[in-house]
Amino acid sequence: MDTPLQHTTVLLDEAVDALLGGELPEGPATWVDATFGRGGHSRLLLSRLRPQDRLIAFDKDPDAIQEAARITDARFSIRHEGFRHLGELPAGSVQGLLMDLGVSSPQIDNPQRGFSFRFDGPLDMRMDTTRGESVAEWLATAELQQISEVIRDYGEERFAFPIAKAIVARRQERGPISTTAELAELVAGTVKTREPGQNPATRTFQALRIFINAELEELQQALEASLAVLAPGGRLAVISFHSLEDRIVKQFIAKHSKEVFDRRAPFAAPQVMKLDALERIRPSADEVARNPRSRSAIMRVALRTEAA
């Protein structure tokens, strides 16, 4: 029998503490785990919520939906959709909203999912394997310039054009790339220098995963939706794992954490701020020692203002 793939939740206690924020509101309250994953945050939240509260989770991954079925708590429900659908919740109905943007360890460690260059498997990388185009399918038809731009923009890869050129040349000579090992080998043969300790394919794999799942676009949509669904005094906590994500979160919170003056109407009242930036939290040294995959995590916490 195969051993189940394990996942260690990053910033588990810190995220739940940040979301609850001390005293719970009077009356029933709704909380949202926008990225269920393997349910670490959801399970701890449920252990600390009251009988009258409820928790709604979202996830695109069929394996996550299967894992969620093991939770029998009547206060819990999950939707098989990405968190871009947050805006479908009633306005002002959510007391706390958590987004953990990391790829779960079972996704990375399962060769069939195609997320990692460490294992040979189909070059898939879709979060939702029931719909959409895989990375292999996209690379089979994408133009050189498209591939180069994706690797450059989403992977911050300075060798994006040579990698894209090698992918297209390989496609023309021997047919499309179909496995993770083929792609990793091709990138390694193209990228001659790399930061110490980093696999040459790291940035390319990150870029293709982000692109094929429209991760940054979905994050932006979910953040905007959070302003509508969070109740006054509700809390937003977002855990990101690379600079592209964190930059979006940081800029979003900063944008909505200041009063906006209309220069065309200097005597008009300013547009009130919608968020109050609370804190930025990194994993402790102990957590990083226990779970090295947590080392790049950054959690930003904000409060939905009463006045907005």
Side-chain angles (χ1 to χ4, degrees), residues 62-110:
D63 291 341
I65 301 302
Q66 186 176 356
E67 177 65 28
R70 299 173 57 187
I71 298 178
T72 57
D73 194 315
R75 300 171 298 168
F76 174 79
S77 63
I78 189 165
R79 298 171 62 157
H80 184 195
E81 334 183 274
F83 57 10
R84 71 173 72 223
H85 294 277
L86 279 171
E88 297 170 7
L89 299 176
S93 65
V94 175
Q95 187 64 34
L97 170 58
L98 173 64
M99 303 180 195
D100 177 355
L101 307 179
V103 182
S104 71
S105 294
Q107 289 172 321
I108 296 171
D109 294 338
N110 182 353

Side-chain angles (χ1 to χ4, degrees), residues 5-10 37-40 100 102-106 291 293:
L5 298 171
Q6 300 298 311
H7 177 69
T8 302
T9 304
V10 174
R38 291 305 179 266
D100 177 355
V103 182
S104 71
S105 294
N291 179 19
R293 285 178 177 169

